[in-house]
Each structure stands twice: as structure tokens, then as C-alpha cells.
Amino acid sequence: MSAGALGAPTLAADPGVAPRRWAVRPRLPLRRLATRAASLGLGLLAWYLATRLKLDLGPVTFRNVPTPAEVARAAWALAQSPKLGAHVGASLARVLTGFLAALAAGIALGLAIGRSRLAGDLLLPPLEVLRPIPAVAWIPLAILMFPSSEASMVFITFTGALFPILLNTVHGAEAASPRLVASARSLGAGRAAILREVVIPAALPSIVTGAAIGMGTAWFCLVTAEMISGQYGIGYFTWESYTLQNYDDIVVGMLLIGLLGMGSSLAVRGLGRLAMPWTRGGRP
């Protein structure tokens, strides 16, 4: 058997490039994981010291903020409660429904605005007026517009996710190479084929970035949405804890929203990488 079949000669024949790749790649994830774990540890240590010492900085005080141990005990109690599944399930259903609706609307509107001047003139001005309106300001109108509180809550998460997806899609569609578009047109491609084969692949990285940001924003709006009504949901649990002055549960709800939002955004980015194999490893 030749040495090339074993893979060793490649390393020996090209000592300047191949050995370095084999030596560095396995170590890089461990180093990054260690750095991120240390960052989280420092954050927990700062939280512990500020609450343990009841730090008072004047404008900001930690006298009433629960310690990490108190929050951990409250989280353990919630984990053993049957309400946890109902809260998480209700919030996931609302966020995913609003996000998927925003994804469909944001991509469709973004591609139209990014590739058509007329569509941009007609659609962009009203959308730019609506974009700065915060989610909490939509609550009265959402209650009037929708017959059920569930639909109102989904609408609030929809508004939170829509605009990051829309703007990133517009940017991606506008950034499609004019040379590629002209080349495709010269080869006889129609508008639909150019959109499908040139514009959408070029815009896909921006769309994935917008979807990841939109997913995080949808979770951000969840507390606002679940203030409307309802008996279940992580946002409702957090707001109810505030009204009952259960400070430990407030932090538990906040951390749970943060973890679910981070996991959802990572899932969106992972699905995006699967849909864009040409971007893996920075390769063209």
C-alpha cells in the first residue's frame, strides 16, 4: 500500500501547509469553548459579588436583586413544576407562528423592494413609518384588530421579527451582482429564472442573518405580547412574578427567555448553513 493511501505522505510532502491545518483545527473549538465558558463564569462571579455585597452605586443598586443561588433554587422549583411545560410550549407556539409568518412576508416584500423600483416606492415609505413603532405601542391596536388574545400575541411577535428580515432581504437583493444578472439575461433567462437562480442565492446570507436577528427580536417582544392576556407563557410567567414580587422567578423567566432565544437563533443559523453549502469554511 502506498503512503498516499494512508494519508501520511500528503503531510510529509507539504510540510508548510497541510500539517498546520491538521494541528490547529482540532484545538480551535476547545479554545473558543474555554473562552466562552470563562466569559460566562466571569459574568456569574460579577453577579454574585454585586448581590452578595448588596452593591449600591447610587443610580443603580443591587440590594433587592436575588443572588445566583436564590435564582438557581427558584429554577429548580420551576423545573419540577408541571407548569414549566405549559409555559414553554405556549411561548414556543406563539414565537414560531409569528416568526414563520414574518419570514414569509419579510422575504417576499424584501425581494420585491430590492429588485423593483416601483415596489420600493410603493411599499417602503409606509413600512419605514411602521418600523420605529415599539412592540408595546401595538398592544391597543392589536386588541382592536384581532378577535382573540392569542392572535394578538402572535401579531406582536410578528411585528418584532418582520423588519430585521425585511431590511436584510432588501440589502441582499440589492447586492446581487449586476454582471451575473446581465449574464443570465444574455443567456435567455427570464425574470423568474434570474430571481430563482441569481438573486435569491446572492441574497440568502443576508436573509439568514435577518432571520437570526428576527428570531431574537421575536423573543424580545414575547413579554410585551404576553402582557396582553393569557394564563401561560414565559413572558406571562415573568410579568406575573413581577406583580407578585417574586424576584427570584423574574430572573428565572428572563434567563429562560434568553436561553430559548439563543437556542432558536443558533438553530436558524444552522439551518442557514445547511441551505448554503458554498459558504462553509469561508470557501467560495
Side-chain angles (χ1 to χ4, degrees):
M1 180 179 293
S2 69
L6 295 173
T10 305
L11 300 176
D14 191 3
V17 177
R20 187 181 305 165
R21 292 171 60 187
W22 280 93
V24 171
R25 281 189 175 181
R27 295 177 183 174
L28 184 58
L30 291 177
R31 187 183 303 169
R32 294 185 64 187
L33 287 175
T35 303
R36 295 183 181 192
S39 174
L40 286 174
L42 288 175
L44 282 174
L45 179 62
W47 176 12
Y48 170 77
L49 291 176
T51 53
R52 183 70 177 176
L53 300 175
K54 299 189 181 302
L55 196 61
D56 190 351
L57 301 176
V60 180
T61 179
F62 290 85
R63 290 178 179 175
N64 298 319
V65 177
T67 65
E70 292 170 340
V71 172
R73 284 193 291 271
W76 178 249
L78 179 62
Q80 293 179 313
S81 169
K83 291 183 178 179
L84 177 62
H87 285 309
V88 173
S91 293
L92 279 174
R94 289 164 188 155
V95 167
L96 288 179
T97 304
F99 172 77
L100 291 176
L103 188 66
I107 292 175
L109 291 173
L111 290 175
I113 294 171
R115 300 307 302 175
S116 169
R117 183 176 300 176
L118 176 62
D121 291 339
L122 290 174
L123 297 174
L124 206 51
L127 289 171
E128 285 293 339
V129 172
L130 296 176
R131 186 168 65 88
I133 299 176
V136 67
W138 283 100
I139 292 179
L141 190 60
I143 294 174
L144 294 175
M145 289 170 56
F146 297 96
S148 68
S149 59
E150 194 67 29
S152 301
M153 289 185 278
V154 170
F155 174 74
I156 296 296
T157 58
F158 166 82
T159 58
L162 174 64
F163 292 106
I165 299 173
L166 170 68
L167 294 181
N168 278 275
T169 304
V170 171
H171 171 73
E174 289 177 340
S177 171
R179 292 185 178 180
L180 289 178
V181 174
S183 299
R185 187 176 292 118
S186 67
L187 293 173
R191 295 175 64 91
I194 292 174
L195 182 67
R196 185 177 62 253
E197 303 293 339
V198 179
V199 176
I200 291 180
L204 206 50
S206 294
I207 294 174
V208 171
T209 300
I213 298 172
M215 175 62 85
T217 311
W219 282 102
F220 177 79
C221 294
L222 184 68
V223 176
T224 302
E226 292 181 344
M227 282 169 57
I228 295 176
S229 180
Q231 298 179 344
Y232 290 103
I234 298 302
Y236 172 78
F237 170 79
T238 306
W239 182 250
E240 182 189 41
S241 301
Y242 167 73
T243 58
L244 297 176
Q245 297 184 344
N246 293 331
Y247 301 132
D248 304 348
D249 287 337
I250 293 174
V251 182
V252 171
M254 292 169 59
L255 293 177
L256 199 50
I257 291 173
L259 290 173
L260 289 170
M262 183 184 69
S264 302
S265 294
L266 289 176
V268 171
R269 291 185 184 276
L271 292 173
R273 281 194 294 271
L274 289 177
M276 300 181 297
W278 63 88
T279 62
R280 293 175 192 169
R283 296 177 181 176

